[in-house]
Amino acid sequence: MKKIYTCFCTDFIHDGHLNIIREAQKYGEVIVGVLSDKAMISYNKFPTVSFKERFQLIKSIKGVSEVVIQQDVMYDKIVEEIKPDYIIHGDNWKVGPMKAIRDNAVSLMAKTGGKVIDVPYTKNEHVSMIDAKYNLKRSMPEYRRKRLKELINLRDIVKTIEVHSGLTGLIAEKTIVECNGTLDQFDAMWISSLCDSTAKGKPDIELVDMTSRFRTISDVAEVTTKPIIFDGDTGGLIEHFVYTVRTLERMGVSAVIIEDKVGLKKNSLFGTEVKQTQDSIEHFCKKISAGKNAQLTDDFMIIARIESLILEQGMEDALKRALSFVEAGADGIMIHSRKKEPTEILEFCDLFRKTNKTTPVVVVPSSFNSITEDELIAHGINIVIYANQLTRAAFPAMEEVAKDILKYHRAKEVDSRLMPIKEIISLIDEIK
Ligand code: SPV
Ligand code: MG
């Protein structure tokens, strides 16, 4: 009997899956791999049910003779284990990022003399409806909120990108790339105060009020499912911060990061070039504790951001604050620096990890941008935030186009730099 293998990474079974099984049965014994959570979230949607439930779901399909775990996105190990004669998959993997997986399967089958079979992808109203329903479920506060903690456990490092609108949210949500033989995507989104303010043409001085910042969250949440980390600036007055925590939690935000500054907050990347005042340890600890007391779920995280290196107060001060803030209840520590080299950040992380092995550490490598994610992982860092790159990419591109339209008195010369009209009008999926 020939062996035919397929891999499912789904929370539900629809006609398309059943069709693949039916087709597969024509070739031999059907073995189905269930993709591990770790592999699934590296390029696909976050599962809404446990791995065990996904496994049982596949087991219950008539016509499946064996169910196995597939640990990796690519098929090398599983093919070695199972030695299938055929690999079968919906033909949707012929285009887009999933093509890399198909290429991998084709090259493995070429080596063993096997064959890849592409089944026409089932597109019907029922399949689209189920897809949409599960996507909606992922975007609901109770699912989205807890996902950051889950990702910290599942991912070597949680890759977070700045978003400040529905459109940038869609980029964070949908961008998947093939790189070094595997697929990758962002895990989470950062609602940066710098970029949220800049998008509104305002300085980053806590001028954009909370109601407006919540509106940005709402715009992003409307079109995405990934977890949100909110830049809460100083958190404001303790009496106000407790309300902010409640609102963020209710909106499904996973974490707020507040920085230990008081008075007129300026962007950290100004460093000591402008007047900025660091909060006392005692007062900031009170703010953290008040926030922790206000939150209603175990999912939400309050992350304390330390400005000692930015304000040149020294490593000892940074470490002392980190330990005090954790003691006060902080669920994570963000350490910031505006040095070109990552030396002081890495020194902090190594020293912090000597006494604290578990509290998540967050970094924002805007200035020390030569550091790689692998290096961050090696120093015990859990979350990396690419805090402003989308905004900084868009502004010069728009400015150049604006200048050239003025220069040429028409728009023809800029056209080659623009997204085709056909693409922009169909960029956003309509709800049917
Ligand atoms: C932001 O993105 O708003 C931040 C990070 O707070 S930084 O601009 O580096 O201070
Ligand atoms: Mg900020």
Side-chain angles (χ1 to χ4, degrees), residues 307-350:
E307 293 286 290
S308 304
L309 304 180
I310 292 282
L311 300 173
E312 296 175 7
Q313 295 303 301
M315 190 61 66
E316 220 171 286
D317 184 68
L319 281 163
K320 188 171 158 203
R321 283 171 178 267
L323 299 177
S324 308
F325 298 161
V326 171
E327 184 77 28
D331 302 288
I333 291 294
M334 175 183 149
I335 184 71
H336 206 16
S337 162
R338 63 179 197 127
K339 294 255 163 75
K340 266 257 163 270
E341 295 305 319
T343 327
E344 63 178 11
I345 284 283
L346 298 183
E347 187 188 340
F348 171 89
C349 294
D350 293 345

Side-chain angles (χ1 to χ4, degrees), residues 190 192-194 204 231 259 267-269 305 336 364 366 387:
W190 165 244
S192 148
S193 65
L194 170 65
D204 181 17
D231 177 356
E259 57 196 275
N267 186 277
S268 297
L269 301 175
R305 165 171 168 174
H336 206 16
V364 178
S366 300

Side-chain angles (χ1 to χ4, degrees), residues 8-28:
F8 283 172
C9 49
T10 184
D11 298 355
F12 49 87
I13 298 299
H14 59 50
D15 304 348
H17 303 112
L18 298 178
N19 186 41
I20 289 178
I21 302 298
R22 259 194 315 274
E23 280 301 312
Q25 281 179 297
K26 295 179 188 165
Y27 294 86

Side-chain angles (χ1 to χ4, degrees), residues 267-304:
N267 186 277
S268 297
L269 301 175
F270 284 123
T272 49
E273 289 159 30
V274 293
K275 192 176 173 317
Q276 308 209 51
T277 315
Q278 201 167 15
D279 200 354
S280 69
I281 293 182
E282 196 193 5
H283 183 256
F284 199 64
C285 282
K286 267 195 196 146
K287 199 179 283 187
I288 295 166
S289 307
K292 288 309 290 176
N293 284 335
Q295 78 177 66
L296 295 172
T297 68
D298 285 337
D299 308 333
F300 190 73
M301 300 172 77
I302 297 179
I303 299 174

Side-chain angles (χ1 to χ4, degrees), residues 181-198:
T182 194
L183 296 176
D184 215 351
Q185 66 175 340
F186 288 107
D187 302 298
M189 301 179 289
W190 165 244
I191 310 256
S192 148
S193 65
L194 170 65
C195 299
D196 203 0
S197 308
T198 304

Side-chain angles (χ1 to χ4, degrees), residues 130-144:
I130 298 191
D131 261 345
K133 194 179 122 193
Y134 273 83
N135 230 17
L136 204 62
K137 192 170 164 184
R138 280 183 200 93
S139 74
M140 296 304 269
E142 62 272 31
Y143 284 96
R144 195 199 294 258

